[in-house]
Coordinates of all heavy atoms in Angstrom, one line a residue:
S143 N -11.9 -3.2 -10.7 CA -11.8 -4.2 -9.7 C -13.1 -4.9 -9.4 O -14.2 -4.2 -9.3 CB -11.3 -3.5 -8.4 OG -11.2 -4.3 -7.3
Q144 N -13.1 -6.2 -9.1 CA -14.2 -7.0 -8.7 C -13.9 -7.4 -7.3 O -13.5 -8.6 -7.0 CB -14.4 -8.1 -9.7 CG -14.7 -7.7 -11.1 CD -14.8 -8.9 -12.0 OE1 -14.9 -10.0 -11.6 NE2 -14.7 -8.6 -13.3
K145 N -14.2 -6.5 -6.4 CA -13.8 -6.8 -5.0 C -14.8 -7.8 -4.3 O -15.9 -7.9 -4.7 CB -13.8 -5.5 -4.2 CG -12.9 -4.4 -4.7 CD -13.1 -3.1 -3.9 CE -12.2 -2.0 -4.4 NZ -12.4 -0.8 -3.7
S146 N -14.2 -8.5 -3.4 CA -15.0 -9.4 -2.6 C -16.1 -8.7 -1.8 O -15.9 -7.5 -1.5 CB -14.1 -10.2 -1.6 OG -14.9 -10.8 -0.6
R147 N -17.2 -9.3 -1.6 CA -18.3 -8.6 -0.8 C -18.2 -8.9 0.7 O -19.1 -8.6 1.4 CB -19.7 -9.1 -1.4 CG -19.9 -8.7 -2.8 CD -21.3 -9.1 -3.3 NE -21.5 -8.6 -4.7 CZ -22.6 -8.9 -5.4 NH1 -23.6 -9.6 -4.8 NH2 -22.8 -8.4 -6.6
V148 N -17.2 -9.6 1.1 CA -17.0 -9.9 2.5 C -16.7 -8.6 3.3 O -15.9 -7.8 2.9 CB -15.8 -10.9 2.7 CG1 -15.5 -11.1 4.1 CG2 -16.2 -12.2 2.0
N149 N -17.4 -8.4 4.4 CA -17.3 -7.2 5.2 C -16.7 -7.4 6.6 O -16.4 -6.5 7.2 CB -18.7 -6.5 5.3 CG -19.2 -6.0 4.0 OD1 -18.4 -5.2 3.3 ND2 -20.4 -6.3 3.7
N150 N -16.7 -8.7 7.0 CA -16.2 -9.0 8.3 C -15.0 -9.9 8.3 O -14.9 -10.8 7.5 CB -17.3 -9.7 9.1 CG -18.6 -8.9 9.3 OD1 -18.5 -7.7 9.7 ND2 -19.7 -9.4 8.9
L151 N -14.1 -9.6 9.2 CA -12.8 -10.4 9.3 C -13.1 -11.9 9.5 O -12.4 -12.7 8.9 CB -12.0 -9.9 10.5 CG -10.6 -10.5 10.6 CD1 -9.8 -10.3 9.4 CD2 -9.9 -9.9 11.9
S152 N -14.1 -12.3 10.2 CA -14.4 -13.7 10.4 C -14.8 -14.4 9.2 O -14.7 -15.7 9.1 CB -15.6 -13.8 11.4 OG -16.8 -13.2 10.9
Q153 N -15.1 -13.7 8.1 CA -15.4 -14.4 6.8 C -14.3 -14.2 5.8 O -14.5 -14.6 4.6 CB -16.8 -13.8 6.3 CG -18.0 -14.1 7.1 CD -18.2 -15.6 7.2 OE1 -18.3 -16.3 6.2 NE2 -18.3 -16.1 8.4
A154 N -13.2 -13.5 6.2 CA -12.2 -13.1 5.2 C -11.2 -14.2 5.0 O -10.9 -15.1 5.8 CB -11.5 -11.9 5.8
T155 N -10.6 -14.1 3.8 CA -9.4 -15.0 3.4 C -8.2 -14.1 3.4 O -8.2 -13.1 2.6 CB -9.7 -15.7 2.1 OG1 -10.8 -16.5 2.2 CG2 -8.5 -16.6 1.7
V156 N -7.2 -14.5 4.1 CA -5.9 -13.8 4.2 C -4.8 -14.6 3.5 O -4.8 -15.8 3.6 CB -5.6 -13.4 5.6 CG1 -5.5 -14.6 6.5 CG2 -4.3 -12.6 5.7
G157 N -3.9 -13.9 2.9 CA -2.7 -14.6 2.3 C -1.4 -13.9 2.7 O -1.4 -12.7 3.0
S158 N -0.4 -14.7 2.7 CA 1.0 -14.2 3.0 C 2.0 -15.2 2.3 O 1.7 -16.4 2.2 CB 1.2 -14.1 4.5 OG 2.4 -13.3 4.7
T159 N 3.2 -14.7 2.0 CA 4.1 -15.5 1.2 C 4.8 -16.5 2.0 O 4.9 -17.7 1.7 CB 5.1 -14.6 0.5 OG1 4.4 -13.8 -0.5 CG2 6.1 -15.4 -0.3
D160 N 5.4 -16.1 3.2 CA 6.4 -17.0 3.8 C 6.4 -16.6 5.3 O 6.8 -15.5 5.7 CB 7.8 -16.8 3.2 CG 8.8 -17.8 3.7 OD1 8.5 -18.5 4.7 OD2 9.9 -17.9 3.1
I161 N 6.2 -17.6 6.2 CA 6.2 -17.3 7.6 C 7.6 -16.9 8.1 O 7.8 -16.2 9.1 CB 5.7 -18.6 8.4 CG1 5.4 -18.3 9.8 CG2 6.8 -19.7 8.3 CD1 4.7 -19.4 10.6
N162 N 8.6 -17.3 7.3 CA 10.0 -17.0 7.7 C 10.4 -15.5 7.5 O 11.4 -15.1 8.0 CB 11.0 -17.9 7.0 CG 10.9 -19.3 7.4 OD1 10.8 -19.7 8.5 ND2 10.8 -20.2 6.4
L163 N 9.5 -14.8 6.8 CA 9.8 -13.4 6.6 C 9.3 -12.5 7.8 O 9.7 -11.4 8.0 CB 9.0 -12.8 5.4 CG 9.5 -13.3 4.0 CD1 8.6 -12.9 2.9 CD2 11.0 -12.9 3.8
F164 N 8.5 -13.2 8.7 CA 8.0 -12.4 9.9 C 9.1 -12.4 11.0 O 9.8 -13.4 11.2 CB 6.8 -13.1 10.4 CG 5.6 -12.9 9.6 CD1 5.2 -13.8 8.6 CD2 4.8 -11.8 9.7 CE1 4.1 -13.6 7.8 CE2 3.7 -11.6 8.9 CZ 3.3 -12.5 8.0
S165 N 9.1 -11.3 11.8 CA 9.8 -11.3 13.0 C 9.1 -12.2 14.0 O 8.0 -12.7 13.8 CB 9.9 -9.9 13.5 OG 8.6 -9.4 13.9
T166 N 9.8 -12.4 15.2 CA 9.2 -13.3 16.2 C 7.8 -12.7 16.7 O 6.8 -13.4 16.8 CB 10.1 -13.4 17.4 OG1 11.3 -14.1 17.0 CG2 9.5 -14.3 18.5
D167 N 7.8 -11.4 16.9 CA 6.6 -10.7 17.4 C 5.6 -10.6 16.2 O 4.4 -10.8 16.5 CB 7.0 -9.3 17.9 CG 5.7 -8.5 18.4 OD1 5.1 -9.1 19.3 OD2 5.4 -7.4 17.9
G168 N 6.1 -10.4 15.0 CA 5.2 -10.3 13.9 C 4.5 -11.7 13.6 O 3.3 -11.7 13.3
R169 N 5.2 -12.7 13.8 CA 4.6 -14.1 13.6 C 3.5 -14.3 14.6 O 2.5 -14.9 14.2 CB 5.7 -15.1 13.7 CG 5.2 -16.5 13.5 CD 6.3 -17.6 13.7 NE 7.4 -17.4 12.7 CZ 8.4 -18.3 12.5 NH1 8.3 -19.5 13.1 NH2 9.3 -18.0 11.6
K170 N 3.7 -13.9 15.9 CA 2.7 -14.1 16.9 C 1.4 -13.3 16.5 O 0.3 -13.8 16.6 CB 3.2 -13.7 18.2 CG 4.3 -14.5 18.8 CD 4.8 -14.0 20.2 CE 5.9 -14.9 20.7 NZ 6.4 -14.3 22.0
K171 N 1.6 -12.1 16.0 CA 0.5 -11.3 15.7 C -0.3 -11.9 14.4 O -1.5 -11.9 14.4 CB 0.9 -9.9 15.4 CG 1.4 -9.1 16.6 CD 1.8 -7.7 16.2 CE 2.2 -6.9 17.5 NZ 2.7 -5.6 17.2
Y172 N 0.5 -12.4 13.5 CA -0.1 -13.0 12.3 C -0.9 -14.3 12.7 O -1.9 -14.5 12.1 CB 1.0 -13.3 11.3 CG 0.4 -13.7 9.9 CD1 -0.2 -12.7 9.1 CD2 0.4 -15.0 9.5 CE1 -0.8 -13.0 7.9 CE2 -0.2 -15.3 8.2 CZ -0.8 -14.3 7.5 OH -1.3 -14.6 6.3
E173 N -0.3 -15.1 13.6 CA -1.0 -16.3 14.0 C -2.3 -15.9 14.7 O -3.4 -16.6 14.6 CB -0.1 -17.1 14.9 CG 1.0 -17.8 14.2 CD 2.0 -18.4 15.1 OE1 2.0 -18.1 16.3 OE2 2.9 -19.2 14.6
Q174 N -2.3 -14.8 15.5 CA -3.6 -14.3 16.1 C -4.6 -13.9 15.1 O -5.8 -14.1 15.2 CB -3.3 -13.1 17.1 CG -2.5 -13.5 18.3 CD -2.0 -12.3 19.1 OE1 -2.4 -11.2 18.8 NE2 -1.1 -12.5 20.0
L175 N -4.1 -13.3 14.0 CA -4.9 -12.9 12.9 C -5.6 -14.1 12.2 O -6.8 -14.1 11.9 CB -4.1 -12.0 11.9 CG -4.8 -11.7 10.6 CD1 -6.1 -10.9 10.8 CD2 -3.9 -11.0 9.6
I176 N -4.8 -15.1 11.9 CA -5.3 -16.3 11.2 C -6.5 -16.9 12.0 O -7.4 -17.3 11.4 CB -4.2 -17.3 11.1 CG1 -3.1 -16.8 10.1 CG2 -4.7 -18.6 10.6 CD1 -1.9 -17.7 9.9
E177 N -6.3 -16.9 13.3 CA -7.4 -17.5 14.2 C -8.7 -16.8 14.0 O -9.8 -17.3 14.3 CB -7.0 -17.5 15.6 CG -5.8 -18.4 15.9 CD -5.4 -18.3 17.4 OE1 -6.0 -17.5 18.1 OE2 -4.4 -19.1 17.8
K178 N -8.7 -15.5 13.6 CA -9.9 -14.7 13.5 C -10.5 -14.7 12.0 O -11.5 -14.0 11.8 CB -9.7 -13.3 14.0 CG -9.3 -13.2 15.4 CD -9.1 -11.8 15.9 CE -8.6 -11.7 17.4 NZ -9.7 -12.2 18.2
T179 N -9.8 -15.3 11.1 CA -10.2 -15.3 9.7 C -10.8 -16.7 9.3 O -10.7 -17.7 10.0 CB -9.1 -15.0 8.7 OG1 -8.1 -16.0 8.9 CG2 -8.5 -13.6 9.0
K180 N -11.5 -16.7 8.2 CA -12.2 -17.9 7.7 C -11.1 -18.8 7.0 O -11.1 -20.0 7.3 CB -13.3 -17.6 6.8 CG -14.1 -18.8 6.3 CD -15.2 -18.4 5.3 CE -16.0 -19.6 4.9 NZ -17.1 -19.2 4.0
N181 N -10.3 -18.3 6.2 CA -9.3 -19.1 5.4 C -8.0 -18.3 5.4 O -7.9 -17.1 5.5 CB -9.8 -19.3 4.0 CG -11.1 -20.1 3.9 OD1 -11.2 -21.2 4.5 ND2 -12.1 -19.6 3.2
H182 N -7.0 -19.1 5.1 CA -5.6 -18.6 5.0 C -4.8 -19.4 4.0 O -4.9 -20.6 3.9 CB -4.9 -18.7 6.4 CG -3.5 -18.4 6.4 ND1 -2.5 -19.5 6.3 CD2 -2.8 -17.3 6.3 CE1 -1.3 -18.9 6.2 NE2 -1.4 -17.6 6.2
I183 N -4.0 -18.7 3.3 CA -3.1 -19.4 2.3 C -1.6 -18.8 2.5 O -1.4 -17.7 2.8 CB -3.5 -19.2 0.8 CG1 -3.4 -17.7 0.4 CG2 -4.9 -19.8 0.6 CD1 -3.6 -17.5 -1.1
W184 N -0.7 -19.7 2.3 CA 0.7 -19.4 2.2 C 1.2 -19.3 0.8 O 0.5 -19.9 -0.1 CB 1.6 -20.4 3.0 CG 1.6 -20.3 4.5 CD1 1.1 -21.2 5.3 CD2 2.0 -19.2 5.3 NE1 1.2 -20.8 6.6 CE2 1.8 -19.5 6.6 CE3 2.5 -17.9 5.0 CZ2 2.0 -18.7 7.7 CZ3 2.8 -17.0 6.1 CH2 2.6 -17.4 7.4
S185 N 2.3 -18.7 0.5 CA 2.9 -18.6 -0.8 C 2.1 -17.6 -1.7 O 1.1 -17.1 -1.3 CB 3.0 -20.0 -1.5 OG 3.8 -19.9 -2.6
G186 N 2.7 -17.3 -2.9 CA 2.0 -16.4 -3.8 C 2.8 -15.2 -4.2 O 2.5 -14.7 -5.3
D187 N 3.7 -14.7 -3.3 CA 4.5 -13.5 -3.6 C 3.6 -12.4 -4.1 O 2.5 -12.2 -3.6 CB 5.6 -13.9 -4.6 CG 6.6 -14.9 -4.1 OD1 7.3 -14.5 -3.2 OD2 6.6 -16.0 -4.5

Side-chain angles (χ1 to χ4, degrees):
S143 178
Q144 300 176 12
K145 301 176 184 177
S146 168
R147 295 182 180 180
V148 172
N149 292 310
N150 298 310
L151 183 59
S152 62
Q153 295 298 309
T155 299
V156 57
S158 193
T159 296
D160 187 349
I161 195 171
N162 295 311
L163 291 174
F164 288 94
S165 64
T166 300
D167 184 55
R169 182 181 299 192
K170 291 178 180 178
K171 291 180 178 180
Y172 191 73
E173 289 171 347
Q174 292 171 7
L175 171 61
I176 291 174
E177 292 177 359
K178 297 181 182 295
T179 61
K180 182 178 181 179
N181 295 308
H182 167 262
I183 63 167
W184 286 117
S185 189
D187 295 292

